[in-house]
Structures are given as C-alpha cells and as structure tokens.
Amino acid sequence: MASLVFSSTSASPVALRGRPKLAIGVAQPQSGAGHVSVRGKDRKARPFITRAVAVGKKVSRFDDVAMAPPDPILGVSEAFRACTNELKLNLGVGAYRTEDLQPYVLNVVKKAEKLMLEKGDNKEYLPIEGLAAFNKATAELLLGADNRAIQSQRVATVQGLSGTGSLRLAAAFINRYCPNSKVLISSPTWGNHKNIFNDAGVPWSEYGYYDPKTVGLDFEGMIADIKAAPSGSFILLHGCAHNPTGIDPTPEQWTKIADVLEEKGHTPFFDVAYQGFASGSLDEDAHAVRLFVERGFEVFVAQSYSKNLGLYSERIGAINVVCSSSDVANRVKSQLKRLARPMYSNPPVHGARIVANVVGDPNLFSEWKAEMEEMAGRIKSVRKRLYDNLSQKDKSGKDWSFILKQIGMFSFTGLNTSQSGNMTNKWHVYMTKDGRISLAGLSLAKCEYLADAIIDSYHNVN
Ligand code: KET
C-alpha cells in the first residue's frame, strides 16, 4: 500500500495511508511546494501534492471558527428530536400543540389558503414594504381601525420576516438614525433580544422586571431603572404575555410606566408576539400599545403572527412606527425600506396573504377569534391542572399559585439551571435552562407526570 509523507511550512508531517489516488486526484496546482516522501523516496514535491495533503488534513481557512453553542430555545427542539425516550415532552419552544401534542394548523388558515388557491394569486415580487392589504390589516389589528394615528397616516408599517425580522429591521434603523441611543430590555427577556441588538450594533442594558421573592413583577425596580436610563433611550416592552415570566404590568402600572417614559423622553419599543394569546382577546392584549399611542408617543411596534395564527414557518409579521406626523412617517418608512432592500430585498407573500384574508373577511375574522380563544383556553386549563397536581402532590407546603397568576404560553417555574437540567436528564422534559416551560406544548394528560418531575427537581436538586 502506498503512503505519502509530507512536510511543509503550514503542516506537520502526515501519512495518508491507502488513499494516494484520492488525495492526488483532488489536488489543484498551487504555489509553494512541500517536501514529500513517496514510498520512502524523498524528492521535491510537485506543487499539487501540497494541496492534496492539505485537503487530506482538512486545513481550512475557517480553522479558527469556533463551534457555536446551540440556541438556548431552538436548540432544545433539536435535543428533543434526538431523544428516543417515549416519555419525552417538548416544553422548550413556544409553539402551540393540540391535546394530542400535535402541531395545529388553524381552520381559518386552511380556509384562507383554499381561497388563495382558487383565486390563483401570482408569485411576483412584493414591493419592499410588503403586501399593502397585509400592512393595512396588521396596523388596524394592532391599533384599532378607527385609531387616529392610522386615520391621519402617521403609522409607517413595513411587512417583516415575522417578529424577529421586524425587530431586527427596527434595530438597524435605530443603529443608523439614533446611533447614540441605547435600548433597555427587561431582565429577564426573550433570549433573542440581546442577539438582535448585538448584531445590529445597538448598545443595550437591562431594567429590573422579575422579583424571584414574590415570583411577580419588580415594579419599583423597573421604574427606577427606566428613570435612571439616559434620556431618549428606547425601552423595549413586551406588549402582552411577557416572555419568559408570563407576568404583565396591570393597566394602572402601564399608565405609570408611560408617565416615566414621557418624563424622560424615552421611546417605547413594543414587541407584540402574543396578541390574543394572553387574554384570548385581540383588543385587550393591545391595551398597552394603544395607551402609549393615545398619549401621543412615537412608538415602535414589532408584530408576529407565529403564535396567534400559528404561522411559525411562514415568517410573517410587521414593524410599525407610529410617528408624530404623516410626513415623518413617510420618511421613516422610506428608510426602513432602504434598510430592508440589501438585507432580504422584499418579504415573502404567502403568510401576508393569509393574514390579509383572515383579518379582511368578517366571517374568517370571527372564526379566527373563536379559534384563538380556544387555544388560549386550552393553555389556561393546562395551567390550572398543573397547579392542581402540584399543590395536591407536593406535601411541603410550597405555594405554587404563581403558576395561575402568570399568563400566555409560558410558565416561569423558578427552577434553576441544574434543576432544569434534572427535568431533562432524568424526566425527559425538554425546557429552557432559565426554568421556563411552554404550557402550549403540554396536554392535560401529561400534567401529573410534569408535576412529579417538577417536585422531584425542585426538592431534590440544588
Ligand atoms: N418576540 C418574543 C417575545 C418571542 O417570544 C418570540 C418568539 C418572537 C418575538 C419571535 O417570533 P417570530 O417567530 O420571529 O415571530 N419566541 C419563541 C420562539 C423563538 O424563540 O423563536 C419562544 O420564545 O419559544
């Protein structure tokens, strides 16, 4: 069997046993010769052999690229898929499942898609700002069709690549037009917020939000931190169903938050990923955003239809910027488009058409609201069952009632990293390491098992 022994400036001697043809076959001539021994005979290497051996040793220009850690949320789904235990439960990503733990395509979505197919819509590019009918529908859904800001054309709406893409576009806008401003985000928050602002080059810091002692809102801390931020900061607020805590300010607290933002000249930046999922009502869940708009703030709002219409993989959402005049709104919109064009050119049409059809048709719209109430209702009943199971089974006297007070898709259990690790390693319950569980991925039938896992992890792991 032939062997090649090689040395060059860039690699230590290496032997390729039994594969000389392959190595030489893929070689391309290149400059810089190595020193090669073929079957023990030293001779000056032909240039192409250097490259052959380099390929064999996998020398890459990307050798310094380190392995990225798995995503804290989407990585959980990958680990879940790899698990073969039949008890496994995926409570990681916030994605709605039926009582049989199957993904759910809403009936209104199927109906809208049927209509679209019958109409034979084409696949031409959308304008950079997206589908006009979608942009109109999404702003109206958020603010209410009769909102003065809409009527006076003060809202710049651009269709985005779901909530994430819309946040990212707004972050790029802040970076370009408010380069000295920073964004304040809640502690804790949805894990991707920090990545988004980091990648857009927008400095951020945190404001207090969660109080582990009360498992509730640290309202005083939140207000103090927002007051202490440099005037003119952007304050990222979760419109409803705060992720991961499931704790929202009360309407009175929202008013106080608005007072402080006004006092400090801050700009509210809402992330609305769960409209309709918190209370079951689209209007109720838009309360905070509408309050700030009513009070005359200029407001950023990123919207997502991943959860409330179950359009996760369609990547449909929007960025809305409510401005002080229609003239400003026009200019802001033009710059959002300018930022979008080199990033992704223009957005995909399918999800936008679904939303426009559902929101634009009175029958489909009321059917959607009923389906959303049903989804929100299923999550509430699972929440209640989990609480009942925990309080019945846990004899330690621990108060689990915080689970009932939290709203939306998630429960923030208060389990620490090693306790969350125990949930996965011992019980095959896949969840994020911050102690968040997605109740949207839980069935009534699995509540008892989950309660056992939580009680074991909470009491037996430090
Ligand atoms: N904001 C919040 C608060 C949020 O929870 C999500 C998604 C998004 C925006 C973005 O969703 P999009 O599909 O881009 O519209 N959260 C779930 C999924 C994820 O992490 O991507 C989650 O927290 O599980």
Side-chain angles (χ1 to χ4, degrees), residues 154-322:
R154 288 192 287 113
V155 189
T157 302
V158 170
Q159 183 186 330
L161 304 182
S162 209
T164 307
S166 305
L167 287 161
R168 182 66 178 79
L169 192 58
F173 181 91
I174 292 170
N175 170 264
R176 185 163 295 179
Y177 294 102
C178 314
N180 300 317
S181 305
K182 77 170 176 178
V183 174
L184 262 81
I185 56 185
S186 63
S187 173
T189 192
W190 175 50
N192 215 15
H193 280 147
K194 294 176 185 173
N195 300 333
I196 289 169
F197 293 110
N198 281 341
D199 281 8
V202 176
W204 55 267
S205 61
E206 294 180 303
Y207 61 83
Y209 193 83
Y210 173 70
D211 182 352
K213 288 198 286 299
T214 61
V215 201
L217 181 64
D218 173 15
F219 188 62
E220 302 307 316
M222 176 182 187
I223 292 293
D225 290 343
I226 292 175
K227 270 190 183 164
S231 297
S233 296
F234 288 84
I235 313 295
L236 190 88
L237 300 159
H238 297 223
C240 63
H242 183 273
N243 178 5
T245 64
I247 303 160
D248 285 350
T250 62
E252 296 70 38
Q253 288 171 329
W254 276 121
T255 302
K256 179 87 175 98
I257 294 166
D259 291 343
V260 176
L261 262 72
E262 197 172 281
E263 199 180 298
K264 291 286 304 191
H266 294 325
T267 300
F269 182 169
F270 280 96
D271 180 352
V272 176
Y274 300 94
Q275 191 181 354
F277 243 103
S279 65
S281 151
L282 287 161
D283 290 323
E284 223 173 286
D285 288 355
H287 165 80
V289 171
R290 291 180 189 179
L291 169 81
F292 278 78
V293 172
E294 194 53 41
R295 285 187 52 161
F297 282 89
E298 295 197 301
V299 188
F300 276 70
V301 192
Q303 284 173 285
S304 165
Y305 289 91
S306 291
K307 326 282 172 155
N308 56 11
L309 254 180
L311 294 177
Y312 308 91
S313 55
E314 296 296 351
R315 313 309 297 143
I316 178 65
I319 181 71
N320 303 269
V321 191
V322 181

Side-chain angles (χ1 to χ4, degrees), residues 242-430:
H242 183 273
N243 178 5
T245 64
I247 303 160
D248 285 350
T250 62
E252 296 70 38
Q253 288 171 329
W254 276 121
T255 302
K256 179 87 175 98
I257 294 166
D259 291 343
V260 176
L261 262 72
E262 197 172 281
E263 199 180 298
K264 291 286 304 191
H266 294 325
T267 300
F269 182 169
F270 280 96
D271 180 352
V272 176
Y274 300 94
Q275 191 181 354
F277 243 103
S279 65
S281 151
L282 287 161
D283 290 323
E284 223 173 286
D285 288 355
H287 165 80
V289 171
R290 291 180 189 179
L291 169 81
F292 278 78
V293 172
E294 194 53 41
R295 285 187 52 161
F297 282 89
E298 295 197 301
V299 188
F300 276 70
V301 192
Q303 284 173 285
S304 165
Y305 289 91
S306 291
K307 326 282 172 155
N308 56 11
L309 254 180
L311 294 177
Y312 308 91
S313 55
E314 296 296 351
R315 313 309 297 143
I316 178 65
I319 181 71
N320 303 269
V321 191
V322 181
C323 300
S324 58
S325 70
S326 62
D327 179 44
V328 177
N330 273 335
R331 282 182 277 124
V332 167
K333 185 168 176 173
S334 73
Q335 294 296 347
L336 288 169
K337 287 163 61 176
R338 189 181 182 191
L339 287 161
R341 171 71 168 143
M343 275 205 244
Y344 56 87
S345 191
N346 49 74
V349 74
H350 192 75
R353 280 196 186 125
I354 294 172
V355 176
N357 274 297
V358 170
V359 179
D361 177 304
N363 289 334
L364 288 183
F365 188 52
S366 52
E367 238 182 275
W368 176 36
K369 288 199 278 192
E371 276 192 281
M372 205 154 34
E373 266 174 50
E374 210 176 295
M375 290 191 287
R378 196 189 84 72
I379 296 172
K380 279 183 197 154
S381 64
V382 163
R383 193 181 278 290
K384 171 83 172 53
R385 174 74 63 89
L386 177 63
Y387 165 75
D388 288 344
N389 286 150
L390 280 167
S391 27
Q392 281 154 18
K393 286 175 161 257
D394 185 3
K395 306 294 179 207
S396 74
K398 178 176 165 59
D399 180 8
W400 293 98
S401 63
F402 64 88
I403 291 179
L404 292 178
K405 292 184 200 129
Q406 298 168 341
I407 55 166
M409 275 195 165
F410 303 107
S411 178
F412 204 49
T413 61
L415 294 178
N416 63 27
T417 310
S418 34
Q419 291 165 339
S420 304
N422 186 64
M423 295 284 287
T424 306
N425 301 334
K426 179 169 168 188
W427 293 88
H428 320 287
V429 175
Y430 287 78

